[in-house]
Amino acid sequence: MGKNQKKKKIVWQQYIGMAFMMLIGAICGVVMVSYLDKSPEDTPLYQELLSFAGLFLGMYVALFFHMIVHEAGHLLFGLMTGYKFSSFRIASFMWLKENGKLKLKRLSLAGTGGQCLMIPPDMKDGKIPLVLYNLGGSFINIILGALFLAGYLLFSDVPFLSPLLLMFAVVGFMTAMMNGIPMRMGTVDNDGYNAFALSKNKEAVEAFWVQLKVSEQSSKGIRLKDMPSEWFATPTDEAMKNSMVATRCVFTCNRLMDEEKFEEADALMAHLLEIESGIVGLHHDLLTCDRIYVELIGENRREVIQDMLTKKQKKFMKAMKRFPSVLRTEYALALLFENDTEKAEKIRSEFEKVAKTYPYSQDIESERDLIDIAKRKITIRE
């Protein structure tokens, strides 16, 4: 698959989630209109408008409710199969277990509404429980969707309550489908695709286990460069066609950046971004950020940087403007590409604001080191 074909495929995949949301909105819209059509003819206009507004708000409540219970499903089924709690995120609010205490932090990831990360059990014969943890969120959405549907059938004659229950049922079933049917969503893979990527692939299972162990160590404040080196093996090109295995290689790139082995990191990132792999859009664009940074502190060739700063990449960096590695790259761009010291200092101030609530202190420590390297480069050039 050529480079342009891969880009087109990623862009197309990004519309899948949007299509599902539009479908949910359309079905809920039909439910609302049908309810209003059944209203008595002498119903005052203001009452109809209030009912419509209430149902419209109810649709958003249903979306938020099912997003929360979806992540709770991962937590529940994870605990049932031997996993331990690590973190729980809804939107940008993240509860993290740190030194035995639960702390509230902030983290935003483009393309994700939430995430439940857990500490995996030890591997036995190259295996760990996978299906229930990965699909637990969809199971809960289906169960609750069925309960809301039963409630709708039971209270079908109750005004306002019946269409509200039906919308909660619809959103539950649609959320389960959107997450449970294996799909690549452009920025991230959904739960069903992750479960599919892990099925009957021993190397993918090991990569999944490593990802969760890295998350566990990160919550303890341990930097990538200080984690066991065997976790960061570079898989073969063939193996990296699997999305889980490709993510393991992404972590290897991240570790090389933390070790400040920039040439080695750039070579591996360039290779991973060039080959046909299972890398998700989020990691693709974050690695591109890292490559831009490496070029800035190295040869700083304007044409190379401009080639990487595509419209799509700029849009991604804007969406992830509060992510530490993106802010670090934006800082280096302002300082070493635009020669705008004032802009660079504003970005650094924003970085320090983000650092106060960011969940992983070791990432902040690593990014500060990289920011300082960029600052030293401008001093040397002057």
Side-chain angles (χ1 to χ4, degrees), residues 79 84 120 186 188 204 268 325:
L79 292 172
K84 295 180 181 178
V188 294
L268 183 57
S325 66

Side-chain angles (χ1 to χ4, degrees), residues 230-282:
E230 60 268 21
W231 290 358
F232 302 92
T234 302
T236 65
D237 290 1
E238 182 64 28
M240 284 193 286
K241 290 180 180 179
N242 182 284
S243 58
M244 288 292 171
V245 179
T247 299
R248 186 174 188 176
C249 188
V250 170
F251 282 4
T252 303
C253 296
N254 297 156
R255 178 185 167 92
L256 289 170
M257 289 291 292
D258 194 28
E259 292 174 319
E260 298 179 13
K261 296 178 179 178
F262 299 123
E263 289 186 12
E264 192 177 342
D266 190 54
L268 183 57
M269 288 187 290
H271 179 71
L272 178 56
L273 295 177
E274 183 64 31
I275 64 172
E276 183 181 347
S277 75
I279 186 173
V280 299
L282 177 66

Side-chain angles (χ1 to χ4, degrees), residues 86 96-103 216 218-221 361:
S86 179
L96 180 76
K97 196 171 184 179
E98 191 177 275
N99 298 321
K101 296 181 179 179
L102 205 60
K103 294 188 177 180
E216 176 196 3
S218 295
S219 67
K220 295 178 180 178
S361 60

Side-chain angles (χ1 to χ4, degrees), residues 100-146:
K101 296 181 179 179
L102 205 60
K103 294 188 177 180
L104 178 61
K105 301 288 185 176
R106 298 292 297 274
L107 175 65
S108 295
L109 291 176
T112 66
Q115 190 177 40
C116 176
L117 292 175
M118 304 193 74
I119 302 168
D122 293 335
M123 295 187 73
K124 294 180 181 179
D125 299 322
K127 298 178 181 178
I128 55 172
L130 294 168
V131 176
L132 290 178
Y133 172 48
N134 277 282
L135 297 181
S138 294
F139 290 157
I140 289 294
N141 290 136
I142 291 173
I143 292 168
L144 289 176

Side-chain angles (χ1 to χ4, degrees), residues 43 62 67 77 120 171 249:
T43 302
M67 181 171 66
F77 283 97
V171 173
C249 188

